[in-house]
Amino acid sequence: MIVVLLGPPGSGKGTQAKRLSAERGWPQLSTGDMLRAAITRGSELGRRAKGFMDQGQLVPDELVIDLITERMKQPDCGRGFFLDGFPRNLAQAEALTKRFEQSGQEIGRAVLFEIADEELIGRLTGRRSCEKCGTPFHLASKPPRRPGVCDACGGKLVHRDDDREDVIRKRLAVYHAQTAPVAAFYERDGRLARIDALDGPEQVERSLKRALGIS
Ligand code: AMP
């Protein structure tokens, strides 16, 4: 199944995509992760994307649409995948629909993670993730056993440059202005499900599975 995960930064989309991806074998396609990897590699794409990301702004559509289109062609996407962080505005949603019309694919469900902005500020400022395997942690709610070290692989835990309060507030403003309308886009064609993202990860996973009709 092709699943679009929608929701503000910090709402838990990536965490849930990782959990279900491992269980179902549907890869997590995160444009944010792909862009950060491009920056780390020092590629031309990374160089062009970095300034926008540091400001909490969206990277230009043509860059991310090309990136995700290439990724979706990989053989591991054949049985389905999670789109995490894409589409991020109406132009991207329309480009995706067009691409799927050409390829005969279809979005099974779009799931909106609903949560208040003030909760997100606390979640994101305390968020840390492993630079090697991506496992997420939180200084208050899910601290690592050893400070700064990943429990899963021993990698170094990093604080994303854009998880600082001033940039978070900009990212939330961009979300409300540009990404929230994508939910209405999928609601119009009957594909949207909404889940409460304030609950803990186990409960959110149950809600997500119910929304996807899987157990
Ligand atoms: P994320 O990891 O999904 O929170 O994304 C981090 C940053 O990457 C965003 O604030 C944007 O600057 C950029 N980004 C990720 N996905 C997209 C997208 N689909 N369109 C434009 N910019 C994106």
Side-chain angles (χ1 to χ4, degrees):
M1 184 181 343
I2 299 174
V3 180
V4 174
L5 300 178
L6 293 170
S11 58
K13 307 182 298 295
T15 298
Q16 294 299 330
K18 278 191 184 63
R19 291 170 81 108
L20 279 195
S21 172
E23 190 185 298
R24 294 269 146 181
W26 302 336
Q28 170 197 16
L29 273 48
S30 156
T31 40
D33 285 350
M34 292 180 215
L35 292 166
R36 280 184 289 278
I39 292 174
T40 304
R41 276 198 309 276
S43 70
E44 170 64 15
L45 168 66
R47 202 187 51 73
R48 290 174 67 187
K50 188 171 183 339
F52 296 99
M53 294 172 75
D54 286 349
Q55 295 295 315
Q57 299 297 329
L58 295 186
V59 169
D61 291 341
E62 64 275 16
L63 299 184
V64 278
I65 291 171
D66 283 354
L67 188 67
I68 200 81
T69 302
E70 284 311 305
R71 180 63 186 91
M72 290 188 301
K73 288 183 192 157
Q74 301 301 310
D76 64 334
C77 291
R79 291 179 44 243
F81 46 87
F82 289 100
L83 285 171
D84 166 15
F86 184 93
R88 211 61 163 236
N89 59 24
L90 283 176
Q92 294 179 14
E94 282 159 5
L96 186 66
T97 301
K98 212 162 168 191
R99 192 204 171 269
F100 284 162
E101 277 166 10
Q102 286 159 359
S103 64
Q105 290 167 295
E106 206 183 341
I107 292 169
R109 259 270 182 261
V111 183
L112 177 61
F113 287 50
E114 293 187 307
I115 185 163
D117 283 6
E118 284 315 309
E119 167 72 16
L120 297 170
I121 307 273
R123 282 193 182 189
L124 291 171
T125 49
R127 178 160 82 168
R128 300 290 182 274
S129 59
C130 175
E131 67 175 359
K132 242 163 85 189
C133 72
T135 301
F137 293 87
H138 190 278
L139 296 183
S141 60
K142 192 195 166 204
R145 281 193 296 270
R146 277 202 298 147
V149 181
C150 176
D151 293 352
C153 77
K156 186 176 156 204
L157 300 187
V158 289
H159 187 198
R160 279 170 46 173
D161 286 342
D162 60 353
D163 276 350
R164 298 175 203 279
E165 188 165 343
D166 55 331
V167 185
I168 293 168
R169 291 201 182 273
K170 284 193 201 137
R171 290 164 64 205
L172 287 172
V174 167
Y175 172 78
H176 290 297
Q178 301 195 48
T179 312
V182 176
F185 177 89
Y186 290 121
E187 190 150 50
R188 277 197 294 279
D189 68 7
R191 286 176 217 271
L192 189 78
R194 296 166 188 274
I195 62 173
D196 183 351
L198 183 61
D199 297 321
E202 281 75 27
Q203 178 57 40
V204 174
E205 182 178 327
R206 280 193 287 276
S207 307
L208 176 58
K209 284 183 164 171
R210 208 173 310 123
L212 299 179
I214 59 176
S215 52

